[in-house]
Amino acid sequence: MSSTFSREEKAAMRAAAAEVKAAKAGANLEAACLAAIAEMTGTDHELAETLHQLVTTHTSLGAKTWYGMPAYATSDGKVVVFFQSAAKFKVRYATIGFQPDANLDEGDLWPTSYAVTKLTAADQKKLVALLEKAVGES
């Protein structure tokens, strides 16, 4: 196993540093999120747009980027949910993930990320329930 970071990982770290700098400078974080979505193509683009619409419609989370990917945070900037495109890391599925500030705890074991290749109406309904639970709005 290599102990060096991949080109994609290095790019994500550079993006994270730039995001911190931009936030401190008062940048429009939602515009950055929408730009990240606009740069995606195909299924990644469709999935990210759908997640964006669901988050902004059903929660009070604010859009931003996190490691160059769309993310949604509390008013104090804590990321609750994020989208990771399949293309960015050259994998077969995108990921919708929840961070520790998501209120999804269920016993001693619960999922914090989901592989996604498509979001049907039923999937979207499940995702809305997760989003609402994650932010305590259910």
Side-chain angles (χ1 to χ4, degrees):
M1 181 173 184
S2 175
S3 62
T4 61
F5 292 105
S6 70
R7 182 178 40 207
E8 293 81 13
E9 289 167 328
K10 289 177 184 176
M13 287 185 276
R14 284 191 300 277
E19 290 158 2
V20 170
K21 186 177 180 181
K24 286 180 182 177
N28 183 335
L29 302 180
E30 183 168 15
C33 179
L34 293 172
I37 294 170
E39 290 174 7
M40 294 177 194
T41 59
T43 302
D44 284 338
H45 181 80
E46 293 169 22
L47 293 170
E49 276 191 333
T50 300
L51 177 63
H52 182 80
Q53 183 269 326
L54 294 174
V55 171
T56 57
T57 301
H58 297 281
T59 76
S60 58
L61 297 173
K64 61 181 281 175
T65 55
W66 191 55
Y67 296 95
M69 293 279 103
Y72 303 88
T74 60
S75 60
D76 59 353
K78 293 181 180 177
V79 172
V80 173
V81 63
F82 64 89
F83 179 83
Q84 183 176 302
S85 71
K88 181 163 186 153
F89 293 100
K90 299 176 179 82
V91 295
R92 63 185 175 89
Y93 54 82
T95 302
I96 295 174
F98 292 89
Q99 287 297 101
D101 286 299
N103 299 314
L104 295 177
D105 305 37
E106 213 170 274
D108 294 326
L109 177 72
W110 62 91
T112 59
S113 64
Y114 297 83
V116 60
T117 57
K118 184 178 176 181
L119 284 171
T120 66
D123 296 331
Q124 290 180 41
K125 187 175 179 178
K126 289 177 191 175
L127 185 52
V128 166
L130 282 170
L131 290 166
E132 290 174 344
K133 183 177 180 183
V135 295
E137 296 177 5
S138 56

